[in-house]
Structures are given as structure tokens and as C-alpha cells.
């Protein structure tokens, strides 16, 4: 028995016309990065498994539960990338990019893979646009990264989102906080798994979604109250720069991200129209990641990952989705085989002149073909019947106002170019 195939569970397809929104989101976000000097980076879809285990952190859900890991034919363990930062840092180290101009500023777009429980806005293949700026620990750069994301959302016409930001402190801040938090957590009546978590990564307990844990940890000490002087000064400058850039934010000292590499500035963009999957983008600074991934020198980096799928849903929720992108500018309607042969050539010449053209294929008659022309979103239809062809002429119809004219087949490219001008 053979049924029809389905895409793997939890993996969205994007096809016309909605795929125009997908492209718009992706391109608008990457354009915002480009305007701030981020260059394009294209990285492998899969990497050595240990890169993510070490980079993202063994105690995270992403690594412990959600990785698409398999053994290749050479018996190596490889993993479909669950996120982009570890790969970028790997490439920076491998190619010695950190020996050049700093910071290294790169932008990426593409699919990432997490074996999560699928639901609206949570997919197993998710699309991100991300940036990373590596090699300079400057609060002005933190603010730039945040502002690039904010600018991207604004340009898309999104308004119902907010930016939550906090500082996770530096090496000097953490031990003191960890101690205070563990002391608090060990005083609670926790189940075995949670207690274990409190030992390995107490911060992650604060990210627990279970109501009883939320309630029990409501009064837990907050890292932001344990920042070293240096980390506090850094955070204050980030906020001052965001004010200068006109980026609104809310400090959320309880913000916990799902990846382990964050230090200092950490942020998330949240959209309230999306239900449970409200994070449309997030990121932060990572101080120890280069060393963690084997670099001799440790350079600080900062970046974000924006969820393209969720940003599309957010645009829909706000009613600003639905890019009315015309599929083509010109639609050719041939009536008869000779006319079709001629129009195929005309279409080629128009495309060579930079004009997008589609034709009515499949001999469907004038009425059906004109309907297809309307649906294509084209501004002009070229109608070629046997009589016109005999006179080496062609009819150009403006699909907006219905005006028609005949021109010589020799002049059609020039005339169409003029009309679209
Ligand atoms: P992340 O918060 O894990 O960060 O993912 C970034 C964004 O990807 C999320 O805010 C969300 O919009 C989207 N996303 C994540 N998982 C899913 C999913 N299962 N389905 C749909 N969308 C999803 C990172 O990945 C970091 N690498 C970001 C970063 C870059 N930090 C520093 N540099």
C-alpha cells in the first residue's frame, strides 16, 4: 500500500503566495543587518555533534532532548544544527577570522533543527536570521545588535512586541549568585530531577514552566542584584545606548534563555499575539564560548537569532501579513500554436530585458487565459491571435484600466518597457 507522502511532522512548507511573506521577513531582517555592516556567512547544516554539546551546553533541553543526531557512513556522530552561534564561532576559530579586523560581524539565514513537540509557532525545522559580532566587548555593540533586530521588526511593520533585557553578569558576578541561588533552592522541597538541575545549573530551575516550581521560586534571589561593578557598568551603558537609539525595553531580571553560553547582556523579543510560543527573537553576549570551543584566545561575542516562522505569525496576528507581490509584470496569452511559438520568443526577449513574464500554457482558450493573467498580478497582458500574427502585430492590454493597443511585434519590448516605466 502506498499513501501520499507528508512532510515530516512539525515541519512547515512555504509556497506561493505566502512564501512572499517568508522572503520579505527574511530579506528585511538581513537588510537591517547589512546596513549595520554585517557580512553574509553561509555555514554547514550539520556539524560534529560535540560542537553543539560543548557550545550550547549539555544541561540545556536543546542538547539533551532536541538534537537530530546521527552517525554518518564514516561512523562519525554529526548533528543537524539546532542554532547558529556555535557554528559561527567554530568558523571564526577555524579560519582565523579573529586575527583580522575586529569585531568580526556576520549575518546568516537558514533552517535549524530541534526535535521539539510541534505546535503552532514551534517547529522541528525552524528558520532564523541571525547575526554575530565577535571580538570586541563594547556595550555600544550590544546596543547595536539589539537595535538591528528592533529595526528589522519595525520595517516589517510589526508593533505589538516588546524587548525584555537583563544582564547575566560576568565571571566575577556568577559564583556569588550561584551560591546564593543554590542555597535558596536547596531550602525548597524539590523532586530529584530538579534538585539535580539545581546542582548542575541552578539558573535553569528558574526557567521551569511548572506552576508549583514557579511559585516556589518566586522569591529566589536575582542575578541582577549580584552583578560585579564592571558588569553593572557594562549593562548601564547598554541601556543608555538603547535610549540613544530610541529602542524601548523592559528590564526582566527573571529572563532565562534556553542556551548556556550567555553572559552579561541577554535579551528576548516577545510578541503577545502568539500564545505560548511568544519569543520572536533573542540573543545576548557570550564571553567564554571561544575558549570553550578550543580557541587559544578568548574573545567575547554578541548576537541574536530571530525566528522567521514566528515573525510571520506575528505579522499575521497584527494583520500586516499578505504581501501582495505580483508573480510577474507581464502575462502572455497566445491563441493558437503559431502564436504560442511566437510568444515564447517574445517572453524570452522581455526577460532578457529584465521584465518578469509568464505565459498561459496548456491551450486553455481566451477566457481561461485572461483569468490566469488577472490572477498572476501582472500589469500588462500580451494577447496574440492568428490575425494579429499574420500582420506581425500584438495586442497589449493594461490589466489595471482595461486600455488596449496594438503594436508591431518588433516594438513590443520597447513599448512594454515604456509602459512599465
Ligand atoms: P534561540 O532563542 O534558541 O536562540 O532561538 C532564536 C529564535 O528562534 C527564537 O526566539 C524563536 O523565535 C526561534 N525559534 C527557536 N526554536 C524554534 C522552534 N522550535 N520553532 C520556531 N521557532 C523557533 C538561538 O538560537 C541563539 N543562537 C541566538 C543567538 C545568536 N544568541 C547569540 N547569538
Amino acid at each position: 500500500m502506498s499513501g501520499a507522502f507528508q512532510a515530516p511532522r512539525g515541519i512547515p512548507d512555504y509556497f506561493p503566495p505566502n512564501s512572499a511573506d517568508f522572503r520579505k521577513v527574511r530579506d528585511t531582517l538581513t537588510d537591517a543587518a547589512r546596513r549595520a555592516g554585517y557580512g553574509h556567512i553561509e555555514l554547514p547544516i550539520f556539524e560534529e555533534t560535540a560542537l553543539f554539546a560543548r557550545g550550547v551546553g549539555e544541561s540545556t533541553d536543546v542538547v539533551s532532548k532536541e538534537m537530530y543526531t546521527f552517525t554518518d557512513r564514516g561512523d562519525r556522530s554529526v548533528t543537524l544544527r539546532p542554532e547558529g552561534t556555535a557554528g559561527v564561532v567554530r568558523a571564526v576559530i577555524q579560519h582565523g577570522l579573529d586575527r583580522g579586523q575586529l569585531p568580526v560581524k556576520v549575518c546568516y539565514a537558514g533552517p535549524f533543527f530541534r526535535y521539539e513537540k510541534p505546535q503552532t509557532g514551534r517547529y522541528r525545522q525552524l528558520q532564523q536570521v541571525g547575526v554575530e559580532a565577535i571580538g570586541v566587548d563594547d556595550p555600544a555593540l550590544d546596543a547595536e545588535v539589539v537595535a538591528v533586530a528592533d529595526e528589522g521588526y519595525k520595517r516589517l511593520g510589526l508593533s505589538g512586541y516588546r524587548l525584555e533585557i537583563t544582564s547575566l553578569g560576568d565571571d566575577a558576578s556568577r559564583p556569588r549568585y550561584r551560591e546564593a541561588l543554590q542555597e535558596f533552592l536547596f531550602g525548597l522541597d524539590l523532586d530529584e530531577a530538579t534538585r539535580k538541575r539545581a546542582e548542575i545549573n541552578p539558573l535553569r530551575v528558574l526557567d521551569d514552566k511548572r506552576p508549583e516550581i514557579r511559585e516556589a521560586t518566586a522569591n529566589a534571589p536575582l542575578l541582577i542584584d549580584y552583578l560585579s561593578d564592571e558588569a553593572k557598568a557594562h549593562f548601564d551603558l547598554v541601556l543608555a545606548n538603547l535610549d540613544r537609539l530610541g529602542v524601548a525595553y523592559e528590564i526582566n531580571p527573571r529572563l532565562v534563555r534556553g542556551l548556556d553560553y550567555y553572559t552579561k547582556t541577554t535579551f528576548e523579543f516577545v510578541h503577545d499575539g502568539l500564545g505560548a510560543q511568544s519569543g520572536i527573537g533573542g540573543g545576548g553576549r557570550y564571553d567564554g564560548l571561544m575558549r570553550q570551543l578550543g580557541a587559544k584566545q578568548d574573545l567575547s561575542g554578541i548576537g541574536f537569532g530571530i525566528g522567521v516562522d514566528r515573525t510571520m505569525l506575528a505579522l499575521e496576528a497584527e494583520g500586516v501579513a499578505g504581501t501582495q507581490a505580483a508573480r510577474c509584470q507581464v502575462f502572455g496569452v497566445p491563441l493558437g500554436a503559431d502564436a504560442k511559438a511566437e510568444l515564447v520568443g517574445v517572453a524570452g526577449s522581455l526577460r532578457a530585458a529584465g521584465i518578469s513574464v509568464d505565459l498561459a500554457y496548456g491551450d486553455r482558450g481566451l477566457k481561461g487565459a485572461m483569468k490566469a493573467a488577472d490572477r498572476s498580478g501582472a500589469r500588462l497582458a500580451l494577447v496574440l491571435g492568428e490575425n494579429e500574427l499574420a500582420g506581425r502585430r500584438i495586442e497589449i492590454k493594461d490589466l489595471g484600466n482595461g486600455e488596449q493597443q496594438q503594436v508591431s511585434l518588433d516594438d513590443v519590448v520597447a513599448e512594454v518597457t515604456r509602459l512599465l516605466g
Side-chain angles (χ1 to χ4, degrees):
M1 220 202 81
S2 63
F5 286 110
Q6 302 251 330
R9 201 164 115 73
I11 300 191
D13 291 316
Y14 293 109
F15 44 86
N18 292 0
S19 50
D21 283 326
F22 178 89
R23 278 191 57 164
K24 186 172 155 198
V25 169
R26 189 193 56 194
D27 296 349
T28 303
L29 295 170
T30 47
D31 282 351
R34 199 173 38 77
R35 276 195 298 279
Y38 291 78
H40 179 75
I41 190 164
E42 195 68 48
L43 292 175
I45 300 285
F46 63 88
E47 301 254 11
E48 200 180 320
T49 299
L51 172 70
F52 302 117
R54 237 196 283 161
V56 176
E58 305 268 10
S59 77
T60 61
D61 280 355
V62 169
V63 168
S64 64
K65 300 186 191 151
E66 298 169 1
M67 294 215 294
Y68 277 90
T69 298
F70 59 99
T71 308
D72 74 5
R73 286 166 190 275
D75 231 16
R76 296 171 204 91
S77 177
V78 293
T79 295
L80 299 184
R81 60 184 189 186
E83 63 96 53
T85 312
V88 169
V89 171
R90 191 267 308 143
V92 165
I93 299 169
Q94 179 178 342
H95 304 291
L97 302 183
D98 52 322
R99 292 198 296 269
Q101 180 79 21
L102 295 179
V104 176
K105 290 170 80 170
V106 292
C107 171
Y108 50 87
F112 296 88
F113 305 85
R114 298 181 188 180
Y115 196 82
E116 296 197 71
K117 194 159 183 267
Q119 63 179 79
T120 308
R122 189 163 71 198
Y123 306 124
R124 289 182 173 168
Q125 176 172 310
L126 56 123
Q127 301 274 347
Q128 280 187 13
V129 168
V131 305
E132 311 294 342
I134 298 172
V136 175
D137 187 1
D138 181 340
L141 189 55
D142 300 37
E144 175 189 279
V145 165
V146 172
V148 164
D150 187 62
E151 211 246 327
Y153 292 132
K154 284 203 180 116
R155 257 189 205 249
L156 283 166
L158 212 57
S159 53
Y161 65 92
R162 62 202 145 77
L163 163 64
E164 299 188 354
I165 192 165
T166 192
S167 172
L168 295 181
D170 52 10
D171 279 351
S173 325
R174 292 221 187 167
R176 279 200 315 137
Y177 174 63
R178 195 184 153 95
E179 223 169 87
L181 181 58
Q182 275 178 330
E183 194 179 310
F184 174 86
L185 292 175
F186 292 154
L188 301 175
D189 183 21
L190 296 174
D191 60 273
E192 191 50 37
T194 312
R195 206 180 167 77
K196 189 122 214 160
R197 220 174 224 198
E199 266 165 41
I200 301 170
N201 188 346
L203 255 180
R204 207 148 287 296
V205 180
L206 301 185
D207 194 28
D208 201 312
K209 301 280 184 292
R210 288 173 295 175
E212 64 274 18
I213 303 284
R214 296 220 128 179
E215 201 178 311
T217 57
N219 293 319
L222 296 169
L223 179 43
I224 205 152
D225 297 323
Y226 289 78
L227 295 184
S228 67
D229 290 347
E230 207 184 313
K232 171 133 191 15
H234 183 104
F235 190 50
D236 288 345
L237 272 173
V238 174
L239 300 182
N241 278 303
L242 286 176
D243 290 337
R244 215 162 282 139
L245 285 158
V247 176
Y249 55 83
E250 288 167 27
I251 298 173
N252 175 6
R254 299 184 66 90
L255 179 68
V256 181
R257 305 262 305 128
L259 314 164
D260 268 356
Y261 46 63
Y262 292 114
T263 57
K264 299 196 187 111
T265 313
T266 311
F267 56 91
E268 209 154 81
F269 288 89
V270 180
H271 196 283
D272 290 324
L274 295 187
Q277 309 308 316
S278 59
I280 53 172
R285 187 164 276 287
Y286 38 91
D287 276 347
L289 188 55
M290 283 208 35
R291 173 77 39 86
Q292 193 78 16
L293 295 180
K296 287 192 193 71
Q297 63 170 341
D298 205 4
L299 293 176
S300 182
I302 178 157
F304 67 64
I306 293 180
V308 173
D309 317 86
R310 284 189 198 167
T311 304
M312 283 177 72
L313 291 172
L315 286 167
E316 252 166 58
E318 288 191 23
V320 282
T323 313
Q324 291 305 322
R327 267 196 312 111
C328 57
Q329 297 164 286
V330 175
F331 197 90
V333 176
L335 304 170
D338 294 341
K340 193 193 299 183
E342 184 68 31
L343 260 188
V344 164
V346 170
S349 307
L350 285 167
R351 290 179 190 136
I355 294 165
S356 58
V357 189
D358 195 6
L359 294 184
Y361 292 106
D363 308 318
R364 51 183 128 173
L366 182 60
K367 212 166 147 215
M370 288 312 290
K371 213 182 244 173
D374 276 331
R375 270 200 222 114
S376 75
R379 276 186 47 203
L380 302 174
L382 299 180
V383 185
L384 189 58
E386 271 165 31
N387 287 344
E388 288 98 350
L389 185 58
R392 301 295 302 156
R393 299 182 69 75
I394 188 166
E395 187 177 291
I396 304 179
K397 181 172 183 188
D398 185 316
L399 292 170
N401 60 21
E403 274 172 28
Q404 310 183 11
Q405 58 163 314
Q406 288 209 353
V407 299
S408 158
L409 271 170
D410 297 330
D411 299 335
V412 67
V413 174
E415 188 55 20
V416 165
T417 307
R418 192 187 68 77
L419 287 170
L420 291 174

